[in-house]
Amino acid sequence: VNIRSATSADIPFMLALERDCASAAHWAEEQYRQMFQPDAGVPERFVVVGESQVVQSAEDAISSVVGFLVASNVVGEWELENIVVAPAMRRKGVGKRLLETLLARVRDTNSASVFLEVRESNAAARGFYEAAGFRLTGQRKSYYINPIENALLYRRDLA
Ligand SMILES: CC(C)(COP(=O)(O)OP(=O)(O)OC[C@H]1O[C@@H](n2cnc3c(N)ncnc32)[C@H](O)[C@@H]1OP(=O)(O)O)[C@@H](O)C(=O)NCCC(=O)NCCS
């Protein structure tokens, strides 16, 4: 799996992955479009995809997007907004590699930490963030709707 910067051509694939995954954050297509049209009113975005090469024959190789990560930088603080890996590709280190590219970017921008919110019941994501060195810093009661659920706040400090 190759990790690279996303472009607007990846939007349909990112949407397909996200729509297929109940626990991911869900955005409208227009919000994805805006990520690639930065202007003064919009925070700096960091968007990467994981791409897998499927070799069909000697002449024919196609690639498919098997995961993505979206983060934003709001006045010097990075928020991990969404991370999704295709169900068939989980537990192979793709999420970890996507996250490592974000952590490198966070360091490059001289930011000290990354924070995120996650549904309390999302055990897979919580296990993933905890394994990556995020620590629980707080809770927002009944923060999510459909269904109503608490948000847990996690933060990863960079030395
Ligand atoms: C969270 C998610 C992105 C993790 O991606 P992944 O590519 O499967 O994660 P990795 O393979 O890089 O896992 C790295 C480590 O995280 C931990 N981890 C990952 N998935 C886990 C799980 N289901 N339960 C517990 N720990 C887990 C493990 O320590 C794992 O290392 P190991 O496989 O050697 O034990 C993936 O489960 C996913 O797409 N979930 C649905 C979308 C979602 O809920 N996103 C979060 C929105 S806030």
Side-chain angles (χ1 to χ4, degrees):
V1 174
N2 174 40
I3 310 289
R4 62 161 172 81
S5 290
T7 72
S8 58
D10 295 313
I11 292 173
F13 304 101
M14 294 166 68
L15 269 171
L17 268 181
E18 181 233 82
R19 296 283 135 93
D20 220 25
C21 175
S23 62
H26 299 292
W27 292 353
E29 184 168 350
E30 182 55 26
Q31 291 173 289
Y32 281 96
R33 299 233 161 265
Q34 282 169 1
M35 301 191 307
F36 299 104
Q37 294 159 353
D39 68 44
V42 175
E44 178 192 353
R45 279 265 161 47
F46 178 80
V47 193
V48 284
V49 295
E51 190 173 52
S52 165
Q53 285 263 317
V54 184
V55 179
Q56 298 200 309
S57 67
E59 310 81 51
D60 202 12
I62 53 166
S63 55
S64 67
V65 172
V66 297
F68 72 89
L69 175 154
V70 180
S72 62
N73 181 356
V74 187
V75 287
E77 266 221 308
W78 282 94
E79 176 176 7
L80 201 180
E81 296 177 291
N82 207 2
I83 179 167
V84 184
V85 173
M89 292 296 288
R90 289 185 192 157
R91 297 307 284 265
K92 295 177 194 291
V94 177
K96 191 174 174 195
R97 288 184 53 212
L98 290 167
L99 182 63
E100 278 165 0
T101 63
L102 171 62
L103 296 177
R105 178 88 178 119
V106 172
R107 285 194 188 89
D108 284 352
T109 55
N110 296 319
S111 249
S113 65
V114 186
F115 70 96
L116 60 87
E117 286 144 11
V118 62
R119 280 185 182 267
E120 195 165 31
S121 66
N122 192 346
R126 291 177 58 186
F128 171 75
Y129 297 135
E130 285 165 15
F134 283 78
R135 65 192 164 79
L136 192 58
T137 55
Q139 185 194 52
R140 292 203 174 116
K141 284 264 180 219
S142 306
Y143 177 77
Y144 292 106
I145 53 165
N146 297 326
I148 292 179
E149 191 177 343
N150 298 337
L152 297 183
L153 307 181
Y154 279 90
R155 180 174 292 275
R156 164 83 145 81
D157 293 313
L158 285 93

